[in-house]
Amino acid sequence: MVTKLPKVDIVTTGMGWTGGIVAAELTKAGYHVVGLERGVERSIEDYLHGHDELKYNIHKELMQKLTKDTITFRNTLNDAAKPVRDEGAFVVGTGTGGGGAHWGGQTYRYFPYDFQIRSKTIEKYGESKIPAGVTIQDWGISYDEIEPYYAKFEQMAGISGEPDPLAGHRSIDYPTPPLKKLPQMKMFHEAAEKLGYHPFVVPTANVSESYTNPDGETLNACQYCAFCGNYGCEYGAKADPIVTVIPTAKKTGNFELRTNSIVTRVLYDGTKATGVLYKDTRTGEEFEQPADLVVLTSYIFNNVRLLLLSGIGKPYNPKTGEGIIGKNYTDHHTITGAIGYFEEKKFNSYIGTGSLGSAFNDFNADNFDHANLDFIHGGQIEMHLMGNEPIANNPAPFGTPTWGKEFKKNSLHYFYRNVTVVSQRAILPHKDHYLDLDPTYTDDYGDPLIRVTFDYTEMDHKRNEFLVEKCNEVVKEMGADIIDTIPMAEHFGGRFTFQHDGGGVIMGDSPDNSAVNNYMQMWDVDNLFVCGASAFPHFGPTNPTPTVGALAYRAAEGMIEYLKNGGGPLVSKK
């Protein structure tokens, strides 16, 4: 039996970054928000004495347990998809904070080219430059329009950084200075500058100094302990929803957090979303929560899955190209580059943060001429010092046996004598890559799992080949004695390890090519907003969180306007 609860202004379906931002902004505006979260509530106290690689990095303590819920994966439409059960291969946060609790903290903005990729590519190179089957489109928003929201996210999160000389304009400086430049970073900068490139220190949510944000929440200075990615920060030095936006929402008195609450359906009367159906994961009790606004704030897989399970929007069909829900799925988990080994230099391999490092973007977006290249877009060349934990990291030159005396000898010798330079690349959508409901496998409650169909394209391989050569060039200029190139597999192998997935509920300027407008409002259900990287029409070159956060701030602004004006579409249909 379903218990029907009193109606509220807004209900959200997850309490990571997007749920936290929506809750903070709407409650500050005076609205009553109920935040539903399938996991438990966490605080900084839960992270104390958490420097345990086995518990957090290997056994994934903060992540969704794949025995209860997962995804299925296949490379092509003709393959049979199988569930992903390896905890090291599929990492999705759960509990308050979500992915924002265990992220590394890299905070790059996307480039102006990203938001108008189709029109700018055609303008410069002609439509024939876009390969057959590649379904890129403009996002329905320009960089100039999203820039104020990037700034708002950075000010809230206390981002530490210095400007990238090749990035889009900034209306305001980073709120805190960049992290310290370690010896390996100085070597990277010197090598890049000798080669004529434009390096900068990576912007980060691991805050370089104590900082109080505009909402009055304080972040402490980073200790460079390197327990960031896969861990919560016990110092409160990493921007995390549980130390920023969720406390802000709570202070208003207008926010109600309900944990252990998994949303199973969006309730829909054919024109409006009327609320959600959810279960208490401890008791199995089922509740209906009516609301004026329903906001999907889960990770992309669950955003798409909830829409498909609820019968909202037309599912994408890759054979006909019709439909929109599930379209333009992109995965951003393949990072390749070069490892350099040094005989005469030794580094402190333990110090670091989730995003300490340096990068340059001379071969990113359309910062270089693609006229004689057989790919579009590009990637960032970067080096990170994340602290090499001893279980997961035993670097040794290729050709070293993977066990025995020789492995032990080389691992000990090179542990302090290596650097890795990698490229993060843009991933562009293809007509055959999409999300749908698996016809075979279900979760604990009997609902179909989401099915991922994805593989590398020919252009992915060409872009990778070009960028890896640049990584090799930098490592060589740094003076490495041995250089190993990290190979890219022929096919994507199904490791979804960083929460870098996009698409499925994509944004655009028309219901003909998108599910949501540039306020994340569904075109055909105007009181239903879908926040997160599910809106990305393609995956930009770097980490998604700042763009997710910026779009969430814009969405929250739109929700307030919607409620004040009595509803209706926030953007006119073209």
Side-chain angles (χ1 to χ4, degrees):
M1 179 179 177
V2 177
T3 302
K4 188 170 183 177
L5 302 170
K7 191 177 183 183
V8 298
D9 295 325
I10 301 105
V11 62
T12 68
T13 62
M15 287 309 299
W17 272 125
T18 55
I21 288 170
V22 168
E25 295 304 294
L26 272 293
T27 55
K28 285 192 294 183
Y31 296 103
H32 180 199
V33 178
V34 167
L36 300 175
E37 166 56 49
R38 66 179 174 179
V40 299
E41 183 172 13
R42 292 198 179 95
S43 68
I44 289 295
E45 286 72 23
D46 295 309
Y47 301 152
L48 292 176
H49 311 298
H51 294 184
D52 185 334
E53 184 185 2
L54 186 63
K55 180 177 181 181
Y56 290 99
N57 195 13
I58 306 299
H59 293 158
K60 309 296 182 189
E61 175 71 12
L62 297 180
M63 314 306 176
Q64 171 181 311
K65 298 308 173 190
L66 305 187
T67 52
K68 295 183 178 297
D69 193 5
T70 184
I71 58 175
T72 66
F73 163 70
R74 61 180 181 172
N75 283 127
T76 73
L77 278 63
N78 297 322
D79 296 338
K82 299 295 183 186
V84 179
R85 298 293 189 194
D86 177 359
E87 290 184 342
F90 181 43
V91 173
V92 177
T94 188
T96 53
H102 65 79
W103 69 317
Q106 296 178 44
T107 48
Y108 314 97
R109 298 179 177 191
Y110 284 178
F111 286 81
Y113 174 73
D114 281 299
F115 299 101
Q116 295 170 289
I117 185 170
R118 182 173 175 82
S119 57
K120 286 183 177 293
T121 299
I122 292 173
E123 177 185 327
K124 190 169 181 179
Y125 304 108
E127 191 163 359
S128 62
K129 189 71 175 176
I130 302 171
V134 172
T135 53
I136 56 171
Q137 65 182 53
D138 293 353
W139 289 39
I141 191 171
S142 68
Y143 178 82
D144 287 345
E145 289 172 312
I146 197 175
E147 198 282 335
Y149 304 100
Y150 271 129
K152 192 164 186 175
F153 178 81
E154 291 167 355
Q155 298 297 311
M156 175 276 294
I159 302 304
S160 301
E162 62 183 13
D164 169 4
L166 300 182
H169 83 275
R170 302 182 57 82
S171 59
I172 187 170
D173 290 339
Y174 288 112
T176 53
L179 294 174
K180 297 181 184 301
K181 199 184 285 183
L182 300 190
Q184 303 97 307
M185 295 164 64
K186 291 176 183 175
M187 290 169 59
F188 178 93
H189 278 248
E190 289 171 7
E193 286 168 356
K194 280 183 183 176
L195 293 167
Y197 306 142
H198 301 81
F200 59 95
V201 176
V202 165
T204 172
N206 314 130
V207 180
S208 62
E209 63 184 26
S210 179
Y211 170 76
T212 299
N213 75 13
D215 291 319
E217 313 300 343
T218 298
L219 292 148
N220 299 315
C222 178
Q223 304 298 301
Y224 296 82
C225 73
F227 287 86
C228 302
N230 292 315
Y231 302 84
C233 180
E234 67 175 331
Y235 304 109
K238 179 172 71 175
D240 175 332
I242 71 166
V243 296
T244 52
V245 287
I246 293 176
T248 297
K250 285 183 173 180
K251 283 191 299 191
T252 65
N254 295 324
F255 178 60
E256 182 182 351
L257 172 66
R258 295 183 198 151
T259 55
N260 300 293
S261 301
I262 185 167
V263 178
T264 56
R265 295 289 187 280
V266 176
L267 300 173
Y268 173 57
D269 67 6
T271 56
K272 298 278 187 184
T274 59
V276 298
L277 200 63
Y278 74 93
K279 286 182 179 175
D280 186 315
T281 58
R282 298 161 299 186
T283 65
E285 289 179 281
E286 201 166 16
F287 299 91
E288 177 183 340
Q289 178 58 69
D292 289 327
L293 277 187
V294 175
V295 187
L296 303 192
T297 53
S298 310
Y299 190 54
I300 81 153
F301 293 128
N302 213 36
N303 280 351
V304 175
R305 188 177 178 220
L306 276 174
L307 292 176
L308 292 174
L309 288 172
S310 306
I312 299 174
K314 186 175 181 179
Y316 174 66
N317 183 338
K319 293 180 179 175
T320 64
E322 296 176 349
I324 196 68
I325 305 302
K327 187 181 179 184
N328 278 28
Y329 169 75
T330 48
D331 180 90
H332 188 243
H333 286 99
T334 304
I335 296 177
T336 60
I339 308 171
Y341 296 95
F342 299 80
E343 297 296 345
E344 303 300 328
K345 292 182 184 297
K346 290 185 73 175
F347 311 111
N348 182 336
S349 297
Y350 290 112
I351 194 171
T353 83
S355 49
L356 180 62
S358 299
F360 63 83
N361 280 310
D362 296 73
F363 302 103
N364 208 345
D366 200 31
N367 291 341
F368 59 113
D369 186 13
H370 291 69
N372 295 317
L373 297 172
D374 43 13
F375 63 86
I376 56 175
H377 215 306
Q380 176 173 274
I381 308 297
E382 60 188 38
M383 182 189 70
H384 288 285
L385 306 174
M386 299 179 180
N388 290 335
E389 296 156 300
I391 298 176
N393 297 278
N394 287 285
F398 291 169
T400 300
T402 54
W403 58 279
K405 289 174 61 176
E406 190 70 10
F407 171 70
K408 184 176 181 181
K409 176 188 167 188
N410 277 354
S411 293
L412 291 172
H413 180 72
Y414 287 111
F415 188 85
Y416 301 102
R417 292 179 170 86
N418 75 88
V419 300
T420 300
V421 174
V422 299
S423 70
Q424 282 202 76
R425 294 158 292 119
I427 299 294
L428 306 186
H430 188 275
K431 66 180 182 62
D432 292 340
H433 301 163
Y434 72 113
L435 302 174
D436 67 349
L437 295 177
D438 192 282
T440 304
Y441 297 97
T442 61
D443 66 8
D444 266 5
Y445 301 109
D447 283 329
L449 300 178
I450 203 76
R451 178 171 66 177
V452 178
T453 303
F454 180 80
D455 202 357
Y456 302 134
T457 64
E458 184 180 358
M459 189 165 61
D460 290 330
H461 284 283
K462 290 174 178 175
R463 190 185 302 109
N464 177 71
E465 187 179 333
F466 177 87
L467 292 168
V468 164
E469 188 55 39
K470 302 302 177 187
C471 296
N472 272 296
E473 182 184 30
V474 174
V475 173
K476 183 178 180 182
E477 189 65 36
M478 291 172 75
D481 296 293
I482 301 170
I483 301 174
D484 283 339
T485 300
I486 305 169
M488 179 175 172
E490 183 178 356
H491 297 284
F492 178 64
R495 293 189 67 81
F496 306 82
T497 47
F498 309 127
Q499 281 198 236
H500 284 208
D501 303 275
V505 195
I506 58 176
M507 59 190 293
D509 62 5
S510 164
D512 294 335
N513 63 16
S514 54
V516 295
N517 62 30
N518 60 29
Y519 285 97
M520 308 298 102
Q521 180 188 35
M522 289 205 74
W523 289 108
D524 298 325
V525 190
D526 64 16
N527 71 332
L528 177 58
F529 292 71
V530 187
C531 296
S534 51
F536 291 8
H538 73 271
F539 212 103
T542 48
N543 306 56
T545 300
T547 304
V548 168
L551 290 173
Y553 272 113
R554 181 175 172 83
E557 187 177 284
M559 293 171 208
I560 293 169
E561 184 179 334
Y562 178 94
L563 291 167
K564 282 183 176 175
N565 296 334
L570 295 162
V571 177
S572 299
K573 295 180 181 178
K574 284 189 177 179

